[in-house]
Amino acid sequence: MKQTSTFSPGRRKLLIGGASAAVALGVFGAASWEQLTNYRATWIERVVRENLPGIDLDAASLQAFIKEMLASERMQRTEVKVTVFADRFGPWLPAHISKARDGLEGLERHVLTEYLIGSNFFRVPDPKREQIVYSGTIPACRNPFVYSNPSTFSKA
């Protein structure tokens, strides 16, 4: 009686090739994700520098800001990581899809606002003549443009 193999050589090659491809994609994905973390750091720096042309930024405090932003809850969200990823690897996406463009613009505004409010930008007479130093977020009222009527304060 002839014994038939349930495992053909073609099928074996297909399985070995598929497993090899899965391992290769896993390694590539892990390397890309690490590269994405580095890219997010350079993306944050680029957003700040491009929106503040001609401003002397303290390099050490800017790096501290970048670390703080990367550790923030908002920058840890998957949709934020995907937005930055799309800006890096598919820059045409935000240009043609309004939801991606709005997400990217909102993220850029958030990064720039956090830097400006946490730095001495609004406390110096002329930001173009002095170095801007990021010292961290202010825990009290974070918005320097809030107007409060003195009559609403408690007299106690």
Side-chain angles (χ1 to χ4, degrees), residues 125-148:
D126 186 3
K128 289 198 176 217
R129 294 179 187 240
E130 294 188 42
Q131 188 176 48
I132 303 302
V133 179
Y134 178 79
S135 56
T137 57
I138 301 167
C141 180
R142 294 172 32 101
N143 188 344
F145 304 110
V146 171
Y147 173 76
S148 297

Side-chain angles (χ1 to χ4, degrees), residues 114-127:
E114 291 296 313
Y115 183 79
L116 291 174
I117 290 176
S119 71
N120 63 341
F121 186 85
F122 297 113
R123 295 186 292 277
V124 297
D126 186 3

Side-chain angles (χ1 to χ4, degrees), residues 23-90:
V23 169
L25 282 174
V27 169
F28 176 74
S32 294
W33 198 253
E34 180 62 32
Q35 203 174 34
L36 178 60
T37 302
N38 294 337
Y39 177 73
R40 286 187 304 145
T42 58
W43 181 85
I44 291 169
E45 183 174 359
R46 183 176 50 103
V47 166
V48 172
R49 289 194 184 276
E50 284 181 359
N51 286 289
L52 299 174
I55 303 288
D56 181 23
L57 305 174
D58 176 55
S61 67
L62 180 58
Q63 291 307 311
F65 168 74
I66 291 169
K67 286 180 183 176
E68 189 177 302
M69 282 304 299
L70 288 173
S72 72
E73 182 181 331
R74 183 170 184 171
M75 291 299 284
Q76 295 298 320
R77 294 182 192 158
T78 304
E79 60 268 15
V80 169
K81 291 178 180 180
V82 168
T83 300
V84 173
F85 183 82
D87 184 46
R88 165 74 170 104
F89 295 105

